[in-house]
């Protein structure tokens, strides 16, 4: 029988908070905490789009991901000093970007780019999922900013998007793994889902033990239930910020 | 109704060949062709293991992935000249390495490293899947080489591993996408499975339209059927090489 | 007559807070806010010293400095992605490291290294000075951690160190410049002082108008008065953390 | 008395084959085998020329050279991963580019660029020479492609170009060195010659023993005889491809 | 009592020579020797300005700094080979650039850029100061070149600028430190001053012992006296070159 | 009829000087001027050899080549700032290293490395040849230094080595090309010869017009005559330095 820190249930999220308006300069910002994992998300609006979209009328949303050197148990190397982003950082920021774009109609954004920077202040597992969930809040607030400024006719946001990890351990599915659970799980899944209930990314990796099609099905069900709670927290965070601005 | 090139059925693989012993110097090598996609796989055995495994008695298997500049429709830039591997290349070679390791007992390998280089000679979709499937053949032949040399007591290979892509297009699941199909598919899945029937990686990415849990289930079923054929081809290739050596 | 934001006096610091224990994993940590400038300081203790100190019995203290891309008014490029730290970042982290080392007896530290990461969360002028001031707090708490663990016989800390900027504008000396003031100042000084009253760094740069020896003298006097307040805040921050641990 | 592998004569080429049309996407391609050395040559036509030729009406031909990590006896490092092309790779690709340009009238090409990628699949000495010889075939086929498309008025090809190595060993000149011969030769020459009989590059390097003017003269004579055979093979390869297209 | 090499007084400069016209291609050049320190300064005039100045009508002056590998006691690594400029080199070239710009009215230069390359041929302490002092001579001669060519209406040069180091050692201020003195000094200052007597940069760094405000005052006085001699030598050098051109 | 600057004959060297002892710190140094080309050569002795020679008892000699940004007519980019040495620089320094090693018995050097830095102060054609010729003088003086220090039993120097360029222009062979001649020559040769009369490197490159075997023969004869004069100058330079030390 698996026992989790703080008496958490198998399908229970860690303590979750999303604080908005944490950066004075960013068009949208959110600090998301999932247990001890903390990710600072900043959405920046800039004119123009990448070369391959110029003249198309379409906008662009992209993400960058980083981790402060001492976000982790032992200090990691500063990527700027290494002279390159790790393959892991690049893989994660590509996932975040794809996930956020699935929740927008880029045509309605017009030829401008929103970059969502997700910087991990403290890491305790699940940083890429927290980045997607918090990144959507920052993105939604940046869209509000555009709307207030009259820069868009109709909101490009079409739905919410959030992400959660699930692990298989001793035959059981555990929702929202912390670092120790992630390290000992036999298999690790990341599930990204839209507010419509549809999936945009499912990534399952057998670190220690391969998994069956039945496992996969069960994992996605557990993830969906958790993501419903994340959607609720996102709506509260965005609503609070909007109320504060009125 | 979807129509595929060469009258291929929805759940039919492209023409598949695996040629072995194609490189004189490598301990194991295979040239895999899936339709017009061709990947050259070379397994190199070297003494020693990465720092974090030294003294553990365990071996290591890793992969590197590259694409010749003119493997593609329009010439791509040479990564060596760019001064870095793209994030895409790094992401793919991490996937190949994880997949191959799932088919071995690294402890039985002892403190040596097998590097599987997967270089795309010609690209027409599905290069990462072809690299996993062909890479396993090169790996198995390198293990044979070790065995012939008396360098291992028992084979570290525990099973086969192969991979295939599946796309969702107009509500239908298409096996083994070529480049044009991949570009127009609404969702793209890569499935990596062991000879035991268990899964080691499932990656689904909604490029255009999100997918349901039912879609995911169907996709994995279609992939499994295709992978069974890949396993057959792998066994034939390894068997032919072994026969030739006797 | 110069008028400052929030009715601040010419020789008055911005609102200053130093929050400690903000990072769960770091041996010492502090989040310093000076007006809208916010710098997260994390001190990490690691065994060993750089090559040139091995066998000397002496320890080492070094600093790294970074700025989150959206710390600034307009988004800056991520240095990890650029493939290198800017000359400015390197110059600043060398200054922070030298300043912190002036407050320690490295021999008493023994052959271990303390790295102080200073990451700018939000920038509004004076980030390097805030990094020195907050960095000392993180360093002092890491020394406390070593002391609690019995890893040092006597504290290597010999005094406090803090830093402040002063600008010359229209003939007047302004303490603790914010970004707008810094941009319009004729000359910009950074002064680093020890708890003993002695100076460890004085850097004066005439951006628009050169300065006289009398100006320099006046600037250092104004800086010293401001630094006395920083020392008070450092002592309170460290004292509060120590009280909380008892 | 020197004895060569497979009973080869001193002035005899290794087994030579040039296979054309090996890459579906490239405008011209050739796989050249000289003994165990195999180089894949792909010619890509792209609009435009480098900056310094813009507006001149002249075209450009350039080459890039690479070696797959396991082309060699022991695995080499992947240059893309090293973050840079080696000095050797750069030196070789500059030689190939110069040699190919000597066989063209760039003015007749118009403002387009042909890049010839030469990737060594298997290395057993003489890779740069094989790259020049095979590269000319790929180039000639790309010119045919331009001609069929009506993109050029008159062929820019003015002659053939091919290259061969010669070594001095124990006072004797050996044609077309393999890797073992190259490693033990006292001096190593690479000779590049045009179909007109004129030379475009002669590079002689005394690795172990310096050479006389008489040696140099004899070496060039031996090389010229070998290159005549290479010209014949080039013409056959191009002719076969042209015949297949009719 | 401090004793200096060659019986030099505490406030005495080392043997100083400034040779002009040493590079045939540069618009202005100077080889400055201060004791055994030798820096070659070359000013290059190029049309255009950096992006942020385009259309402003203003010119730009910038500096680059390098050190030949064997300028120093033991051979240093070649920065071009390391793949990057050190933080120290970047910090120094930023200082040189700022100092030179303080002596010009960039508006009068018009939209052209003068780059002053300062390359250390031999190092014996004080290279950055020698680079500022010699760099001004090269700059002044490049301005003369522009003037002779009629490319400027009025000289953009508004004054001279020169720099000198001062060290504190055993309570005494030593002017113009050589390498050994610099290594043993307790504190190291670099002072940059204009021909008007005003200061443009003061940098004091306590390497071993912190310093008082009185020390700082004294150091600047000693530096000013030394800089007066540098100004004299600059005027002589420029005058000699002008005389030679007449 | 070709007419050369300063009325120089076809087979006449430019004005040649070799100044020794120009760098205080280097074990051997020489500043070579050939016409307006000036190269500073510094030989540095360091203990140890590259990894592949450790334990062999053999020493190593290597070269590095660089060009100051304003050595050329128009300012070139600083390689340290570009983040890499150009392919040209690497190709040249490999040639210099090979040439110098041909004049030594590395076994007699013992396990130490001599690095010869060749930095072009001013460029007017023929820099690689000047670097070989001047580099040998620096190397010979470093060997003298080793000998004076008793670090070697017998001199490892076995002969002299020098290099010269020859161009073909309008059917005539021109010795020692300057930049303008090099730019207009149809073919460019670099010849490196030992004091014994034997050749160590011959590199001929047809920039505009291919050349015949007869041309090659004639070029080498012209080069040999010029190199004889270079040997004389080398002996004088080394002899003068030795005399000065007695």
């Amino acid at each position: 029988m698996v026992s989790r820190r703080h008496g958490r249930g198998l399908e229970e999220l860690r303590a979750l908070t999303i604080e908005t308006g944490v950066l004075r300069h960013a068009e949208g910002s959110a600090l998301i905490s999932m247990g001890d994992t903390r990710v600072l998300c900043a959405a920046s609006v800039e004119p123009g789009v990448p070369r391959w979209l110029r003249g198309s009328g379409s906008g662009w949303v992209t993400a960058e991901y980083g981790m402060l050197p001492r976000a982790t148990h032992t200090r990691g190397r500063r990527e700027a000093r290494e002279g390159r982003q790790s393959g892991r950082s690049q893989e994660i920021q590509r996932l975040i970007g794809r996930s956020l774009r699935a929740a927008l109609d880029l045509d309605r954004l017009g030829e401008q780019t929103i970059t969502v920077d997700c910087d991990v202040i403290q890491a305790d597992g699940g940083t890429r999922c927290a980045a997607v969930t918090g990144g959507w809040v920052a993105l939604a607030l940046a869209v509000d900013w555009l709307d207030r400024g009259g820069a868009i006719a109709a909101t490009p946001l079409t739905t919410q998007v959030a992400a959660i990890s699930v692990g298989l351990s001793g035959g059981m599915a555990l929702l929202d793994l912390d670092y120790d659970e992630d390290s000992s799980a036999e298999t690790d899944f990341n599930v990204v889902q839209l507010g419509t209930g549809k999936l945009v990314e499912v990534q399952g990796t057998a670190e220690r033990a391969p998994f069956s099609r039945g496992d996969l099905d069960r994992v996605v069900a557990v993830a969906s239930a958790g993501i419903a709670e994340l959607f609720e927290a996102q709506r509260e965070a965005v609503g609070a910020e909007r109320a504060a601005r009125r």
Side-chain angles (χ1 to χ4, degrees), chain A:
Chain A
M1 170 72 214
V2 171
S3 135
R4 310 186 79 181
R5 217 161 15 140
H6 307 308
R8 187 150 63 107
L10 293 180
E11 304 182 6
E12 191 180 338
L13 291 177
R14 290 179 286 178
L16 166 70
T17 62
I18 305 177
E19 195 182 343
T20 58
V22 293
L23 289 176
R24 181 181 158 201
H25 303 308
E27 282 73 39
S29 65
L31 175 64
I32 184 167
S33 300
M34 299 187 70
D36 281 326
T37 288
R38 276 195 288 150
V39 183
L40 182 61
C41 305
S44 299
V45 178
E46 290 167 304
V49 284
R51 184 181 305 267
W52 79 89
L53 281 174
R54 282 182 204 154
S56 70
S58 170
W60 188 243
V61 169
T62 186
E64 293 192 7
Y65 172 93
M67 197 180 272
L68 295 190
R70 198 52 200 277
T72 45
H73 282 76
T74 57
R75 186 174 181 275
R77 292 185 167 195
R78 186 174 290 269
E79 290 190 333
R81 196 139 183 196
E82 293 288 281
R84 56 185 201 85
Q85 285 192 299
S86 70
R88 180 185 172 275
S89 287
Q90 291 179 69
E91 183 173 334
I92 291 175
Q93 71 194 9
R94 285 154 55 98
L95 167 69
I96 301 170
R98 285 196 308 264
S99 298
L100 295 177
R101 284 192 294 275
L104 274 97
D105 179 339
L106 292 171
D107 286 337
R108 287 197 216 141
L109 183 55
E111 290 205 9
Q112 47 197 342
T113 294
I114 304 181
T115 303
V116 180
D117 285 289
C118 300
D119 284 276
V120 179
I121 302 295
Q122 192 167 272
D124 189 36
T127 63
R128 81 187 69 189
C129 293
V132 168
T133 305
W136 182 85
V137 173
L139 178 64
L141 295 175
V143 166
D144 280 4
W145 180 88
L146 282 169
D147 192 37
R148 284 197 306 275
I152 45 175
T155 181
L157 270 190
T158 54
T159 185
Q160 289 173 256
V161 66
I164 199 72
S165 72
V166 179
L168 288 175
S169 194
M172 275 171 306
L174 275 72
L175 185 71
D176 189 17
L177 305 177
D178 66 23
Y179 179 81
D180 288 338
E181 292 171 340
D182 185 75
S183 303
S184 64
E186 288 147 10
T187 312
D188 181 28
F189 295 83
N190 293 296
V191 177
V192 186
Q193 200 169 13
L194 295 181
T196 62
K198 290 285 188 117
L199 300 159
V200 285
E201 293 267 345
V202 171
Q203 296 188 335
T205 297
E207 301 285 352
R208 277 187 192 68
F211 54 96
S212 68
R213 286 169 55 192
D215 291 334
L216 175 62
D217 197 51
R218 196 150 42 100
V219 157
V220 178
V222 168
S224 283
I227 286 173
E229 294 183 54
L230 297 178
F231 286 149
E232 180 63 28
Q234 285 179 330
R235 285 190 301 265
E236 274 175 28
V238 170
E241 178 78 8
R242 284 175 184 161
R245 291 201 166 270
R246 258 185 240 117

